[in-house]
Amino acid sequence: MKNMKIKEILMTEEEISGIVSCLADRINNDCKNCDKLTVICVLKGAAVFASDLIRKLSVPDVKVCFIKAESYGSAVESSGSVKINSYEPLEIQGEDVLIVEDIVDTGHTLSQLTAQLKKLRPRSLKVCTMFDKPTRRCTEFVPDYAGAEIPNEFIVGYGLDFDERYRNLPYVAVLDDCTE
Ligand code: 5GP
Ligand code: MG
């Protein structure tokens, strides 16, 4: 396994918390007339963010589902192809749905995921991502809610991994160059 060191902390725990609160405020405002909302958390990266976000939602009836979208494996570059797995039947017909994602990079994952979920005929389908790397985009995908713009760096922490490590960091960091 490659040995990596934290090079720089990009965002502190306090900054992250403020961003999540702002996102929740925006979603709550847009959903103020909704009785129900179905949140789809994209595992594994969005698990930490989704658990913080859902506890700040004021919609009376929030349902939470988990799906897995794999596009990276253990590499740091997107393969461009996305495999989507669901742990339970996704019954979202007629529902207001919010996809919660960790980061939008090329946009392949979310453009493929939203296209597939639209076929299940939700009433509405929006995407909330904690982090966004707009300069890396090679699709036309635009998230409805984006917490923080990230420069063209590979980040870890707050749910995001490198080779399944660093998800537990409460802050967001950039890793130093790889050493074997
Ligand atoms: P996309 O399909 O938009 O290129 O990539 C989306 C997925 O790639 C994210 O859900 C995330 O799993 C992974 N990814 C993209 N950029 C980063 C990054 O900087 N750090 C980590 N850990 N994962 C990333
Ligand atoms: Mg992800």
Side-chain angles (χ1 to χ4, degrees), residues 81-156:
S81 67
V82 176
K83 195 172 147 226
I84 293 163
N85 295 305
S86 167
Y87 291 86
E88 52 198 343
L90 281 174
E91 282 153 11
I92 57 170
Q93 186 174 344
E95 296 189 3
D96 292 310
V97 174
L98 180 70
I99 299 174
V100 176
E101 175 63 302
D102 52 358
I103 186 163
V104 182
D105 185 23
T106 63
H108 283 303
T109 306
L110 265 306
S111 56
Q112 293 185 33
L113 187 54
T114 49
Q116 293 199 28
L117 292 181
K118 273 180 191 159
K119 291 185 191 154
L120 301 177
R121 294 192 283 144
R123 192 165 86 116
S124 67
L125 182 65
K126 288 188 175 174
V127 173
C128 176
T129 185
M130 178 62 196
F131 304 109
D132 191 11
K133 285 186 191 166
T135 58
R136 292 258 310 160
R137 205 74 97 248
C138 50
T139 61
E140 291 188 353
F141 180 79
V142 181
D144 300 277
Y145 308 97
E149 273 193 21
I150 297 290
N152 187 5
E153 303 256 28
F154 190 81
I155 59 168
V156 295

Side-chain angles (χ1 to χ4, degrees), residues 10 41 46 57 76-77 86 105 149 153 158-159 164-165 178:
L10 271 192
C41 168
L57 296 181
V76 292
E77 284 296 320
S86 167
D105 185 23
E149 273 193 21
E153 303 256 28
Y158 197 61
E164 294 301 329
R165 295 156 70 202
C178 310

